[in-house]
Amino acid sequence: MSGDRTPRQVSLARLVEFGIVPKRSLGQNFLVDDNIIRVILQRLAPLPEDVAIEVGAGLGILTRALAQAVGRVHAFEIDRSLAPALEVTLADPEVAERVLLQYGDIMKVSLESLDPLPTLCASNLPYSVAAPFLGEALERLPSVRRYCLMMQREVAERLAAPSGGKDYGSLSVWVRLHTRIVEVRALSRTIFHPQPNVDSSLVTLERAPIDPLVIERPILLRAVVEGAFSQRRKLAVNALAAALDVPKESLGEVFRLAGVSPQVRAEAVEPPGFVALARGLMELGLDDRYNEARGRSGRTGSSRR
Ligand code: SAM
């Protein structure tokens, strides 16, 4: 605290100045540790010409740091009542001119229409949207080369889970089909105010070379991945037959073409196996229903936070 009893840390100062009571329902656990901002920037390795996207600007501590490091920041915040405090944090003209701030729900934003397109993504993600936002961003923002995201540790574990275990699921496959996991780092609860009831991790992802089918047929791919995991206790061939409403015999042929054993559950199928299954469906002409124009219907990974 300084002499006037205003805390020096930006988030704490804004909370006091504006009498803000954080809303747990919106995942408002504000960052109150400046070191983690330095870690995020170091992991992101931003260039002055980069364009960042941040979900949940909150009181603006990360938004401001990003704006000082890159050319533009798309910042989204659902809670308009934070606007007076957020705008004070972003008031420096050099920061303000670089921040494109929008109030609204990130899950309703047409990510592919952002202009300029983001090249980096950094967020202290609101827990309810961590997995669904990442699923959408990986598909819709191929321009993003690095992600540095704070999220519930349980979601981070699912995202990074190797095949064969109970945590391996559609989110793990989707992440692996688009990125390389650079680092998953545990975070202390004390860096947030208020302290959350669950642990968090900082996850760094780097865009990796992607199979062209993942880009050309994302809806088909999602249907295959989510369908295979829709009934985890069943063999993947049976779960997929039910989810895609395709006769089991035809799916047996798809598995044969894909080189995936029909005797395994989805958790034993590596990410490229799902791409091969999608190709098999295409070869047998069973992919028509998943040919529709890109919509917002698909979601990979739900949040349990
Ligand atoms: N970035 C700030 C920080 O690190 O201190 C705030 C992070 S806080 C964990 C998450 C923020 O996301 C909150 O300010 C919350 O209001 C906002 N939020 C929650 N749901 C959102 C949504 N669907 N779209 C956009 N922002 C959302």
Side-chain angles (χ1 to χ4, degrees), residues 49 61 120 123 129 180 188 199 210 212 218 239 264:
E49 62 270 28
I61 173 175
L120 299 173
S123 296
V129 304
R180 180 177 78 82
S188 161
D199 288 320
I210 297 175
V264 297

Side-chain angles (χ1 to χ4, degrees), residues 4-111:
D4 63 2
R5 297 176 50 197
T6 303
R8 261 182 292 156
Q9 203 283 329
V10 171
S11 299
L12 289 172
R14 294 293 171 267
L15 288 170
V16 172
E17 282 167 44
F18 291 86
I20 294 165
V21 178
K23 300 181 180 76
R24 281 200 189 262
S25 61
L26 292 177
Q28 289 182 352
N29 303 104
F30 299 111
L31 272 178
V32 292
D33 179 313
D34 296 327
N35 282 330
I36 195 68
I37 303 279
R38 282 188 277 279
V39 172
I40 291 173
L41 287 178
Q42 197 248 330
R43 298 294 185 274
L44 273 183
L47 302 170
E49 62 270 28
D50 270 317
V51 177
I53 174 171
E54 185 198 5
V55 178
L59 303 169
I61 173 175
L62 178 57
T63 324
R64 186 170 75 174
L66 289 169
Q68 287 164 342
V70 302
R72 278 275 181 286
V73 181
H74 294 281
F76 294 89
E77 175 51 57
I78 201 169
D79 185 358
R80 273 189 181 274
S81 75
L82 298 180
L86 178 53
E87 283 158 23
V88 168
T89 310
L90 304 179
D92 174 350
E94 281 191 17
V95 168
E97 70 181 16
R98 292 185 190 167
V99 177
L100 301 162
L101 179 61
Q102 288 188 47
Y103 291 98
D105 181 353
I106 189 64
M107 297 313 296
K108 296 190 177 145
V109 171
S110 167
L111 295 175

